[in-house]
Amino acid sequence: MKVCFLVSEYFAWGRFGGFGAIARTIAQGLRAAGQDIVVVVPRRKGQRPVEIIDGLEVRSYPGHSIFTTKVFQECDADIYHSFEASLPSFAAQRAMPNRKHIVTCIDPFDANDWKMEFKFDLGQSVRRASIYPLLWGFYGSPLVRSAVQHSDSVFCQADFLRPKVKRLYGLPYEPEFVPNAYHVPRKIAQKATSPTVLYLARWDPRKRPEIFFELAKQFPKVRFIAVGKAHDPKRHANLVARYQNVPNLELVGFVNPFESTRLREIIDQSWI
């Protein structure tokens, strides 16, 4: 059986978000279990049409070819699995209508979500906020809704999302719950001897990392570790300058979990 993963990124080529991390983790695990996996993503700067990562084939299509069917036909998979519904989900169904099509909803946006995300990004950068019409088309257009409705199965990686996804895509049923996959440690984690709290996310306004940073000031005997970075380099630099002198706060920055064990070691130490 051959499975094709459709995802907006693969935690590589300058894109390091949750969708890519989840897809890459699951792809690695399935490959280790002997499954035939191919991944399809939008092409990023410096990325070739076909790349090999962790022994897996990663195919890409140019951004202007969003409705391409060729790449999905070339994959010739038995199952096409979308990590979040998008226009490529619709294109894959057009390309291979007689194969199985699955969608896992990770962070589906309704109107309030789009409004909130736009508001925070507009405050950060007008240029970044200007891409929202394109993002909405990619993730929220009627064609995407149609793709979800015509999928063979729809899942959610968080239980509370099930009624939201049913409402958002006009489904006659609530999707099934399938949790995220994680690498199970081979040994029991050794926690730090002193209380240690970890923040692991991007440092964009939407995530409000300042709450975490300010909390460190109120609990000087607790160790605070912040892993991540902001999309906007200027904002990232400002946050580092503002909080780098808090003695119990460690501003680690971005750590790639697929290239080193450092993140795993930080998680093992953390109490919260």
Side-chain angles (χ1 to χ4, degrees), residues 159-230:
D159 188 61
F160 78 92
L161 287 176
R162 295 170 65 202
K164 177 181 181 179
V165 169
K166 177 185 178 181
R167 180 183 73 253
L168 185 62
Y169 296 111
L171 298 175
Y173 59 89
E174 281 195 0
E176 294 295 320
F177 166 59
V178 175
N180 287 343
Y182 292 93
H183 289 295
V184 178
R186 295 181 179 274
K187 60 182 181 180
I188 297 175
Q190 296 297 313
K191 295 299 178 185
T193 55
S194 60
T196 302
V197 185
L198 169 64
Y199 174 96
L200 176 58
R202 67 184 193 265
W203 297 3
D204 290 348
R206 175 73 168 85
K207 299 292 186 179
R208 300 193 294 171
E210 292 89 340
I211 294 176
F212 181 84
F213 300 154
E214 291 293 334
L215 201 62
K217 297 179 181 179
Q218 299 181 38
F219 295 89
K221 295 182 179 180
V222 176
R223 181 187 178 197
F224 286 75
I225 305 175
V227 176
K229 68 176 183 179

Side-chain angles (χ1 to χ4, degrees), residues 50-67:
V50 180
E51 300 267 10
I52 302 297
I53 294 186
D54 309 320
L56 278 163
E57 181 181 290
V58 180
R59 291 179 172 266
S60 63
Y61 54 87
H64 59 79
S65 304
I66 199 68
F67 292 109

Side-chain angles (χ1 to χ4, degrees), residues 40-270:
V40 175
V41 296
R43 190 170 305 154
R44 306 294 180 183
K45 185 178 181 180
Q47 183 180 1
R48 293 172 295 184
V50 180
E51 300 267 10
I52 302 297
I53 294 186
D54 309 320
L56 278 163
E57 181 181 290
V58 180
R59 291 179 172 266
S60 63
Y61 54 87
H64 59 79
S65 304
I66 199 68
F67 292 109
T68 182
T69 57
K70 181 180 179 182
V71 66
F72 301 115
Q73 292 167 343
E74 291 174 342
C75 291
D76 193 27
D78 301 290
I79 298 174
Y80 291 82
H81 185 169
S82 298
F83 288 88
E84 199 62 65
S86 63
L87 285 178
S89 308
F90 176 79
Q93 290 180 5
R94 283 179 53 212
M96 308 297 281
N98 297 320
R99 307 297 170 89
K100 296 296 183 181
H101 296 270
I102 297 172
V103 171
T104 295
C105 298
I106 302 171
D107 188 17
F109 277 21
D110 60 18
N112 288 331
D113 296 321
W114 284 110
K115 180 180 178 181
M116 181 184 298
E117 196 82 5
F118 176 79
K119 181 186 74 173
F120 276 102
D121 272 347
L122 182 63
Q124 174 181 327
S125 166
V126 174
R127 184 190 63 81
R128 179 168 169 79
S130 67
I131 69 173
Y132 271 83
L134 295 176
L135 286 176
W136 178 85
F138 189 82
Y139 288 115
S141 70
L143 293 178
V144 177
R145 179 184 172 95
S146 174
V148 176
Q149 292 175 342
H150 289 91
S151 294
D152 294 283
S153 295
V154 182
F155 300 96
C156 292
Q157 53 82 263
D159 188 61
F160 78 92
L161 287 176
R162 295 170 65 202
K164 177 181 181 179
V165 169
K166 177 185 178 181
R167 180 183 73 253
L168 185 62
Y169 296 111
L171 298 175
Y173 59 89
E174 281 195 0
E176 294 295 320
F177 166 59
V178 175
N180 287 343
Y182 292 93
H183 289 295
V184 178
R186 295 181 179 274
K187 60 182 181 180
I188 297 175
Q190 296 297 313
K191 295 299 178 185
T193 55
S194 60
T196 302
V197 185
L198 169 64
Y199 174 96
L200 176 58
R202 67 184 193 265
W203 297 3
D204 290 348
R206 175 73 168 85
K207 299 292 186 179
R208 300 193 294 171
E210 292 89 340
I211 294 176
F212 181 84
F213 300 154
E214 291 293 334
L215 201 62
K217 297 179 181 179
Q218 299 181 38
F219 295 89
K221 295 182 179 180
V222 176
R223 181 187 178 197
F224 286 75
I225 305 175
V227 176
K229 68 176 183 179
H231 274 108
D232 181 4
K234 183 177 179 180
R235 171 178 165 79
H236 187 88
N238 287 340
L239 287 173
V240 171
R242 181 178 174 186
Y243 292 103
Q244 64 183 347
N245 293 322
V246 179
N248 60 320
L249 173 61
E250 299 174 33
L251 302 174
V252 174
F254 173 72
V255 178
N256 190 326
F258 298 100
E259 295 181 353
S260 76
T261 61
R262 189 182 183 196
L263 181 59
R264 182 74 261 166
E265 293 162 359
I266 293 173
I267 292 173
D268 286 350
Q269 296 175 40
S270 302

